Amino acid sequence: MEVAKRQHVRKSAEILHVTQPAVTNAIHRLEAELGAELFVASGRNIRLTPCGEFLYQEIVPFMASIETLPDRIKEVSSFENATVRLNILAAWTLITEAIIEYQRIDNKLHVQLIQNEQNDLADITVSTVQHYRHKKKDLDNVFVCTEPIYLAVPNIPRFQDKKSVSLKDVKDDGFIQLAGSKNLRSICDHFCSLVDVNPRVQFESDSPTAVKNMIGANMGIGFWPGFSWGKVDTDRVLLKTVEGVHCSRDIVISKRKNRIENIRIDLFYNWLTKYVKIYSQRC
């Protein structure tokens, strides 16, 4: 680069604080490696060959990029330190509300949301006990709280005056359920088995949103996890506790062990667990 700009070996050597033969030898080694002549003599000076000119033009933007690299690395580092990878496998509504609330405290924190049971790279994961058991060895901190699971029923006289509803009383009603592959479905099936009830499932879907919307539209009854799905946004549906069965599941908020300490992840994790704890105590 220096010799190409000066087109003079001696002057380039002085600027680089090396001997003239060292510069000449470096050029010869480069030409031998590339298999092309880069400079030719021009009186007392030298000039670039077409190959030399091509190489010089290619290197200029690269070197400019190299010079700005330290500043760009600092930017990336700053962004990385301000990023929390959050895998939400349960209590989606509650956790997203918590994120919005926290960003009022730290509006520079970037939360990267994930929803993948196979992902092991998240800094913080909100899941159920079943998922957590497989990941114990990789975790640093773990917080567990209990999520109530209600029965969503139509707002009709049959249910209006009841504080709780027996599963046996609704076994012939049409149930709207998550598909059998979903963890919540297996938990709810277990609740039914405890009282020897085989609910009549009239619709099932892999999509929690579809199930939630159909229940909310009063198209059937179904189980409703309090943290995960939040409040019912219609007065056509009532949430009732289940009579004779303790319907709930444990929500686990875990923090992965990090090789590099990140105080912002720790602060967010501590705040999030406190937020969920307070919320669970109100329910």
Side-chain angles (χ1 to χ4, degrees), residues 30-58:
L30 181 58
E31 289 176 326
E33 183 178 344
L34 297 176
E37 195 174 35
L38 303 177
F39 296 94
V40 292
S42 178
R44 293 185 177 182
N45 295 341
I46 57 175
R47 61 179 175 81
L48 288 166
T49 65
C51 286
E53 181 65 34
F54 173 79
L55 178 60
Y56 178 67
Q57 295 302 329
E58 289 292 308

PDB file of all heavy atoms in Angstrom, residues 30-58:
ATOM      1  N   LEU A  30       5.823 -10.947  -2.362  1.00  0.00           N
ATOM      2  CA  LEU A  30       4.405 -10.815  -2.695  1.00  0.00           C
ATOM      3  C   LEU A  30       4.171 -11.155  -4.166  1.00  0.00           C
ATOM      4  O   LEU A  30       3.209 -11.853  -4.507  1.00  0.00           O
ATOM      5  CB  LEU A  30       3.927  -9.385  -2.392  1.00  0.00           C
ATOM      6  CG  LEU A  30       2.448  -9.095  -2.667  1.00  0.00           C
ATOM      7  CD1 LEU A  30       1.546 -10.030  -1.873  1.00  0.00           C
ATOM      8  CD2 LEU A  30       2.121  -7.637  -2.328  1.00  0.00           C
ATOM      9  N   GLU A  31       5.051 -10.667  -5.035  1.00  0.00           N
ATOM     10  CA  GLU A  31       4.921 -10.960  -6.470  1.00  0.00           C
ATOM     11  C   GLU A  31       5.063 -12.456  -6.727  1.00  0.00           C
ATOM     12  O   GLU A  31       4.321 -13.034  -7.539  1.00  0.00           O
ATOM     13  CB  GLU A  31       5.975 -10.179  -7.268  1.00  0.00           C
ATOM     14  CG  GLU A  31       5.710  -8.677  -7.320  1.00  0.00           C
ATOM     15  CD  GLU A  31       6.811  -7.899  -8.039  1.00  0.00           C
ATOM     16  OE1 GLU A  31       7.992  -8.311  -7.918  1.00  0.00           O
ATOM     17  OE2 GLU A  31       6.500  -6.885  -8.696  1.00  0.00           O
ATOM     18  N   ALA A  32       5.996 -13.086  -6.023  1.00  0.00           N
ATOM     19  CA  ALA A  32       6.180 -14.534  -6.199  1.00  0.00           C
ATOM     20  C   ALA A  32       4.951 -15.304  -5.721  1.00  0.00           C
ATOM     21  O   ALA A  32       4.519 -16.276  -6.341  1.00  0.00           O
ATOM     22  CB  ALA A  32       7.427 -14.985  -5.426  1.00  0.00           C
ATOM     23  N   GLU A  33       4.361 -14.851  -4.614  1.00  0.00           N
ATOM     24  CA  GLU A  33       3.184 -15.537  -4.082  1.00  0.00           C
ATOM     25  C   GLU A  33       1.991 -15.388  -5.010  1.00  0.00           C
ATOM     26  O   GLU A  33       1.223 -16.336  -5.210  1.00  0.00           O
ATOM     27  CB  GLU A  33       2.838 -14.967  -2.702  1.00  0.00           C
ATOM     28  CG  GLU A  33       1.663 -15.671  -2.021  1.00  0.00           C
ATOM     29  CD  GLU A  33       1.381 -15.101  -0.635  1.00  0.00           C
ATOM     30  OE1 GLU A  33       2.253 -14.396  -0.079  1.00  0.00           O
ATOM     31  OE2 GLU A  33       0.282 -15.363  -0.126  1.00  0.00           O
ATOM     32  N   LEU A  34       1.826 -14.196  -5.598  1.00  0.00           N
ATOM     33  CA  LEU A  34       0.688 -13.937  -6.480  1.00  0.00           C
ATOM     34  C   LEU A  34       0.935 -14.411  -7.903  1.00  0.00           C
ATOM     35  O   LEU A  34      -0.012 -14.550  -8.691  1.00  0.00           O
ATOM     36  CB  LEU A  34       0.357 -12.435  -6.496  1.00  0.00           C
ATOM     37  CG  LEU A  34      -0.077 -11.824  -5.154  1.00  0.00           C
ATOM     38  CD1 LEU A  34      -0.266 -10.319  -5.291  1.00  0.00           C
ATOM     39  CD2 LEU A  34      -1.368 -12.476  -4.661  1.00  0.00           C
ATOM     40  N   GLY A  35       2.205 -14.613  -8.249  1.00  0.00           N
ATOM     41  CA  GLY A  35       2.523 -15.038  -9.612  1.00  0.00           C
ATOM     42  C   GLY A  35       2.303 -13.934 -10.625  1.00  0.00           C
ATOM     43  O   GLY A  35       1.925 -14.188 -11.771  1.00  0.00           O
ATOM     44  N   ALA A  36       2.533 -12.700 -10.204  1.00  0.00           N
ATOM     45  CA  ALA A  36       2.316 -11.560 -11.107  1.00  0.00           C
ATOM     46  C   ALA A  36       3.260 -10.419 -10.719  1.00  0.00           C
ATOM     47  O   ALA A  36       3.585 -10.239  -9.533  1.00  0.00           O
ATOM     48  CB  ALA A  36       0.866 -11.092 -11.033  1.00  0.00           C
ATOM     49  N   GLU A  37       3.678  -9.659 -11.701  1.00  0.00           N
ATOM     50  CA  GLU A  37       4.535  -8.503 -11.451  1.00  0.00           C
ATOM     51  C   GLU A  37       3.666  -7.321 -11.050  1.00  0.00           C
ATOM     52  O   GLU A  37       2.670  -7.010 -11.715  1.00  0.00           O
ATOM     53  CB  GLU A  37       5.332  -8.168 -12.726  1.00  0.00           C
ATOM     54  CG  GLU A  37       6.504  -7.240 -12.481  1.00  0.00           C
ATOM     55  CD  GLU A  37       7.364  -7.049 -13.729  1.00  0.00           C
ATOM     56  OE1 GLU A  37       6.787  -7.043 -14.841  1.00  0.00           O
ATOM     57  OE2 GLU A  37       8.594  -6.907 -13.588  1.00  0.00           O
ATOM     58  N   LEU A  38       4.040  -6.666  -9.963  1.00  0.00           N
ATOM     59  CA  LEU A  38       3.235  -5.569  -9.443  1.00  0.00           C
ATOM     60  C   LEU A  38       3.823  -4.196  -9.755  1.00  0.00           C
ATOM     61  O   LEU A  38       3.071  -3.213  -9.853  1.00  0.00           O
ATOM     62  CB  LEU A  38       3.068  -5.714  -7.923  1.00  0.00           C
ATOM     63  CG  LEU A  38       2.439  -7.034  -7.428  1.00  0.00           C
ATOM     64  CD1 LEU A  38       2.413  -7.076  -5.903  1.00  0.00           C
ATOM     65  CD2 LEU A  38       1.026  -7.202  -7.974  1.00  0.00           C
ATOM     66  N   PHE A  39       5.150  -4.115  -9.874  1.00  0.00           N
ATOM     67  CA  PHE A  39       5.835  -2.849 -10.149  1.00  0.00           C
ATOM     68  C   PHE A  39       6.842  -3.046 -11.279  1.00  0.00           C
ATOM     69  O   PHE A  39       7.400  -4.129 -11.451  1.00  0.00           O
ATOM     70  CB  PHE A  39       6.597  -2.350  -8.903  1.00  0.00           C
ATOM     71  CG  PHE A  39       5.704  -2.017  -7.730  1.00  0.00           C
ATOM     72  CD1 PHE A  39       5.444  -2.963  -6.748  1.00  0.00           C
ATOM     73  CD2 PHE A  39       5.152  -0.752  -7.598  1.00  0.00           C
ATOM     74  CE1 PHE A  39       4.636  -2.674  -5.662  1.00  0.00           C
ATOM     75  CE2 PHE A  39       4.349  -0.454  -6.503  1.00  0.00           C
ATOM     76  CZ  PHE A  39       4.088  -1.412  -5.542  1.00  0.00           C
ATOM     77  N   VAL A  40       7.061  -1.961 -12.011  1.00  0.00           N
ATOM     78  CA  VAL A  40       8.141  -1.936 -13.005  1.00  0.00           C
ATOM     79  C   VAL A  40       8.913  -0.644 -12.816  1.00  0.00           C
ATOM     80  O   VAL A  40       8.374   0.359 -12.303  1.00  0.00           O
ATOM     81  CB  VAL A  40       7.597  -2.021 -14.451  1.00  0.00           C
ATOM     82  CG1 VAL A  40       6.978  -3.376 -14.723  1.00  0.00           C
ATOM     83  CG2 VAL A  40       6.622  -0.899 -14.748  1.00  0.00           C
ATOM     84  N   ALA A  41      10.213  -0.675 -13.226  1.00  0.00           N
ATOM     85  CA  ALA A  41      11.050   0.516 -13.083  1.00  0.00           C
ATOM     86  C   ALA A  41      10.563   1.609 -14.030  1.00  0.00           C
ATOM     87  O   ALA A  41      10.127   1.349 -15.146  1.00  0.00           O
ATOM     88  CB  ALA A  41      12.501   0.167 -13.365  1.00  0.00           C
ATOM     89  N   SER A  42      10.645   2.855 -13.531  1.00  0.00           N
ATOM     90  CA  SER A  42      10.299   4.021 -14.348  1.00  0.00           C
ATOM     91  C   SER A  42      11.266   5.134 -13.987  1.00  0.00           C
ATOM     92  O   SER A  42      11.007   5.957 -13.110  1.00  0.00           O
ATOM     93  CB  SER A  42       8.856   4.448 -14.074  1.00  0.00           C
ATOM     94  OG  SER A  42       8.517   5.599 -14.818  1.00  0.00           O
ATOM     95  N   GLY A  43      12.448   5.130 -14.651  1.00  0.00           N
ATOM     96  CA  GLY A  43      13.506   6.071 -14.293  1.00  0.00           C
ATOM     97  C   GLY A  43      14.032   5.733 -12.918  1.00  0.00           C
ATOM     98  O   GLY A  43      14.346   4.575 -12.618  1.00  0.00           O
ATOM     99  N   ARG A  44      14.098   6.726 -12.028  1.00  0.00           N
ATOM    100  CA  ARG A  44      14.549   6.484 -10.660  1.00  0.00           C
ATOM    101  C   ARG A  44      13.419   5.973  -9.768  1.00  0.00           C
ATOM    102  O   ARG A  44      13.680   5.538  -8.649  1.00  0.00           O
ATOM    103  CB  ARG A  44      15.123   7.773 -10.061  1.00  0.00           C
ATOM    104  CG  ARG A  44      16.416   8.222 -10.751  1.00  0.00           C
ATOM    105  CD  ARG A  44      16.982   9.422 -10.032  1.00  0.00           C
ATOM    106  NE  ARG A  44      18.246   9.843 -10.600  1.00  0.00           N
ATOM    107  CZ  ARG A  44      18.975  10.865 -10.120  1.00  0.00           C
ATOM    108  NH1 ARG A  44      18.532  11.555  -9.085  1.00  0.00           N
ATOM    109  NH2 ARG A  44      20.121  11.194 -10.701  1.00  0.00           N
ATOM    110  N   ASN A  45      12.252   6.069 -10.292  1.00  0.00           N
ATOM    111  CA  ASN A  45      11.094   5.619  -9.516  1.00  0.00           C
ATOM    112  C   ASN A  45      10.595   4.277 -10.043  1.00  0.00           C
ATOM    113  O   ASN A  45      11.210   3.666 -10.921  1.00  0.00           O
ATOM    114  CB  ASN A  45       9.965   6.656  -9.598  1.00  0.00           C
ATOM    115  CG  ASN A  45      10.353   7.971  -8.945  1.00  0.00           C
ATOM    116  OD1 ASN A  45      11.283   8.028  -8.149  1.00  0.00           O
ATOM    117  ND2 ASN A  45       9.650   9.027  -9.304  1.00  0.00           N
ATOM    118  N   ILE A  46       9.450   3.850  -9.503  1.00  0.00           N
ATOM    119  CA  ILE A  46       8.776   2.669 -10.024  1.00  0.00           C
ATOM    120  C   ILE A  46       7.314   3.039 -10.246  1.00  0.00           C
ATOM    121  O   ILE A  46       6.821   4.045  -9.714  1.00  0.00           O
ATOM    122  CB  ILE A  46       8.856   1.475  -9.037  1.00  0.00           C
ATOM    123  CG1 ILE A  46       8.260   1.870  -7.675  1.00  0.00           C
ATOM    124  CG2 ILE A  46      10.287   0.971  -8.897  1.00  0.00           C
ATOM    125  CD1 ILE A  46       8.189   0.724  -6.692  1.00  0.00           C
ATOM    126  N   ARG A  47       6.612   2.249 -11.014  1.00  0.00           N
ATOM    127  CA  ARG A  47       5.180   2.482 -11.223  1.00  0.00           C
ATOM    128  C   ARG A  47       4.453   1.142 -11.182  1.00  0.00           C
ATOM    129  O   ARG A  47       5.047   0.082 -11.365  1.00  0.00           O
ATOM    130  CB  ARG A  47       4.934   3.205 -12.551  1.00  0.00           C
ATOM    131  CG  ARG A  47       5.398   2.445 -13.772  1.00  0.00           C
ATOM    132  CD  ARG A  47       5.082   3.226 -15.041  1.00  0.00           C
ATOM    133  NE  ARG A  47       5.628   2.563 -16.218  1.00  0.00           N
ATOM    134  CZ  ARG A  47       5.061   1.540 -16.842  1.00  0.00           C
ATOM    135  NH1 ARG A  47       3.917   1.040 -16.376  1.00  0.00           N
ATOM    136  NH2 ARG A  47       5.628   0.996 -17.916  1.00  0.00           N
ATOM    137  N   LEU A  48       3.170   1.233 -10.959  1.00  0.00           N
ATOM    138  CA  LEU A  48       2.344   0.037 -10.863  1.00  0.00           C
ATOM    139  C   LEU A  48       2.085  -0.566 -12.239  1.00  0.00           C
ATOM    140  O   LEU A  48       1.854   0.158 -13.210  1.00  0.00           O
ATOM    141  CB  LEU A  48       0.992   0.378 -10.217  1.00  0.00           C
ATOM    142  CG  LEU A  48       0.996   0.684  -8.711  1.00  0.00           C
ATOM    143  CD1 LEU A  48      -0.316   1.335  -8.306  1.00  0.00           C
ATOM    144  CD2 LEU A  48       1.236  -0.579  -7.908  1.00  0.00           C
ATOM    145  N   THR A  49       2.124  -1.873 -12.301  1.00  0.00           N
ATOM    146  CA  THR A  49       1.686  -2.580 -13.507  1.00  0.00           C
ATOM    147  C   THR A  49       0.144  -2.662 -13.453  1.00  0.00           C
ATOM    148  O   THR A  49      -0.462  -2.335 -12.428  1.00  0.00           O
ATOM    149  CB  THR A  49       2.259  -3.999 -13.534  1.00  0.00           C
ATOM    150  OG1 THR A  49       1.697  -4.726 -12.419  1.00  0.00           O
ATOM    151  CG2 THR A  49       3.777  -3.998 -13.436  1.00  0.00           C
ATOM    152  N   PRO A  50      -0.521  -3.105 -14.523  1.00  0.00           N
ATOM    153  CA  PRO A  50      -1.975  -3.291 -14.454  1.00  0.00           C
ATOM    154  C   PRO A  50      -2.388  -4.210 -13.302  1.00  0.00           C
ATOM    155  O   PRO A  50      -3.397  -3.956 -12.630  1.00  0.00           O
ATOM    156  CB  PRO A  50      -2.314  -3.907 -15.821  1.00  0.00           C
ATOM    157  CG  PRO A  50      -1.273  -3.333 -16.729  1.00  0.00           C
ATOM    158  CD  PRO A  50      -0.025  -3.270 -15.915  1.00  0.00           C
ATOM    159  N   CYS A  51      -1.599  -5.279 -13.071  1.00  0.00           N
ATOM    160  CA  CYS A  51      -1.908  -6.165 -11.933  1.00  0.00           C
ATOM    161  C   CYS A  51      -1.728  -5.442 -10.602  1.00  0.00           C
ATOM    162  O   CYS A  51      -2.519  -5.608  -9.671  1.00  0.00           O
ATOM    163  CB  CYS A  51      -1.020  -7.408 -11.969  1.00  0.00           C
ATOM    164  SG  CYS A  51      -1.474  -8.595 -13.253  1.00  0.00           S
ATOM    165  N   GLY A  52      -0.658  -4.626 -10.543  1.00  0.00           N
ATOM    166  CA  GLY A  52      -0.414  -3.868  -9.327  1.00  0.00           C
ATOM    167  C   GLY A  52      -1.513  -2.860  -9.065  1.00  0.00           C
ATOM    168  O   GLY A  52      -1.959  -2.689  -7.921  1.00  0.00           O
ATOM    169  N   GLU A  53      -1.983  -2.191 -10.127  1.00  0.00           N
ATOM    170  CA  GLU A  53      -3.056  -1.214  -9.989  1.00  0.00           C
ATOM    171  C   GLU A  53      -4.351  -1.882  -9.530  1.00  0.00           C
ATOM    172  O   GLU A  53      -5.077  -1.370  -8.679  1.00  0.00           O
ATOM    173  CB  GLU A  53      -3.279  -0.509 -11.334  1.00  0.00           C
ATOM    174  CG  GLU A  53      -4.362   0.559 -11.310  1.00  0.00           C
ATOM    175  CD  GLU A  53      -4.002   1.746 -10.418  1.00  0.00           C
ATOM    176  OE1 GLU A  53      -2.802   2.101 -10.332  1.00  0.00           O
ATOM    177  OE2 GLU A  53      -4.932   2.293  -9.788  1.00  0.00           O
ATOM    178  N   PHE A  54      -4.621  -3.077 -10.102  1.00  0.00           N
ATOM    179  CA  PHE A  54      -5.821  -3.823  -9.720  1.00  0.00           C
ATOM    180  C   PHE A  54      -5.767  -4.208  -8.244  1.00  0.00           C
ATOM    181  O   PHE A  54      -6.744  -4.032  -7.504  1.00  0.00           O
ATOM    182  CB  PHE A  54      -5.939  -5.094 -10.577  1.00  0.00           C
ATOM    183  CG  PHE A  54      -7.046  -6.002 -10.145  1.00  0.00           C
ATOM    184  CD1 PHE A  54      -8.372  -5.740 -10.481  1.00  0.00           C
ATOM    185  CD2 PHE A  54      -6.787  -7.131  -9.367  1.00  0.00           C
ATOM    186  CE1 PHE A  54      -9.393  -6.583 -10.061  1.00  0.00           C
ATOM    187  CE2 PHE A  54      -7.803  -7.972  -8.946  1.00  0.00           C
ATOM    188  CZ  PHE A  54      -9.111  -7.695  -9.302  1.00  0.00           C
ATOM    189  N   LEU A  55      -4.625  -4.713  -7.793  1.00  0.00           N
ATOM    190  CA  LEU A  55      -4.480  -5.121  -6.396  1.00  0.00           C
ATOM    191  C   LEU A  55      -4.633  -3.913  -5.466  1.00  0.00           C
ATOM    192  O   LEU A  55      -5.295  -4.001  -4.429  1.00  0.00           O
ATOM    193  CB  LEU A  55      -3.114  -5.777  -6.181  1.00  0.00           C
ATOM    194  CG  LEU A  55      -2.809  -6.222  -4.736  1.00  0.00           C
ATOM    195  CD1 LEU A  55      -3.827  -7.247  -4.255  1.00  0.00           C
ATOM    196  CD2 LEU A  55      -1.392  -6.792  -4.644  1.00  0.00           C
ATOM    197  N   TYR A  56      -4.045  -2.802  -5.846  1.00  0.00           N
ATOM    198  CA  TYR A  56      -4.117  -1.591  -5.028  1.00  0.00           C
ATOM    199  C   TYR A  56      -5.573  -1.140  -4.856  1.00  0.00           C
ATOM    200  O   TYR A  56      -6.013  -0.821  -3.745  1.00  0.00           O
ATOM    201  CB  TYR A  56      -3.288  -0.483  -5.667  1.00  0.00           C
ATOM    202  CG  TYR A  56      -3.344   0.830  -4.923  1.00  0.00           C
ATOM    203  CD1 TYR A  56      -2.787   0.963  -3.655  1.00  0.00           C
ATOM    204  CD2 TYR A  56      -3.974   1.944  -5.483  1.00  0.00           C
ATOM    205  CE1 TYR A  56      -2.837   2.170  -2.966  1.00  0.00           C
ATOM    206  CE2 TYR A  56      -4.035   3.150  -4.798  1.00  0.00           C
ATOM    207  CZ  TYR A  56      -3.471   3.255  -3.548  1.00  0.00           C
ATOM    208  OH  TYR A  56      -3.533   4.447  -2.863  1.00  0.00           O
ATOM    209  N   GLN A  57      -6.335  -1.118  -5.964  1.00  0.00           N
ATOM    210  CA  GLN A  57      -7.739  -0.688  -5.906  1.00  0.00           C
ATOM    211  C   GLN A  57      -8.592  -1.638  -5.061  1.00  0.00           C
ATOM    212  O   GLN A  57      -9.551  -1.216  -4.421  1.00  0.00           O
ATOM    213  CB  GLN A  57      -8.315  -0.575  -7.328  1.00  0.00           C
ATOM    214  CG  GLN A  57      -7.675   0.505  -8.182  1.00  0.00           C
ATOM    215  CD  GLN A  57      -7.789   1.894  -7.561  1.00  0.00           C
ATOM    216  OE1 GLN A  57      -8.758   2.199  -6.853  1.00  0.00           O
ATOM    217  NE2 GLN A  57      -6.786   2.737  -7.813  1.00  0.00           N
ATOM    218  N   GLU A  58      -8.232  -2.926  -5.071  1.00  0.00           N
ATOM    219  CA  GLU A  58      -8.961  -3.898  -4.264  1.00  0.00           C
ATOM    220  C   GLU A  58      -8.650  -3.739  -2.774  1.00  0.00           C
ATOM    221  O   GLU A  58      -9.507  -3.950  -1.914  1.00  0.00           O
ATOM    222  CB  GLU A  58      -8.612  -5.326  -4.707  1.00  0.00           C
ATOM    223  CG  GLU A  58      -9.164  -5.723  -6.060  1.00  0.00           C
ATOM    224  CD  GLU A  58     -10.682  -5.831  -6.037  1.00  0.00           C
ATOM    225  OE1 GLU A  58     -11.217  -6.541  -5.162  1.00  0.00           O
ATOM    226  OE2 GLU A  58     -11.329  -5.190  -6.886  1.00  0.00           O
TER     227      GLU A  58
END
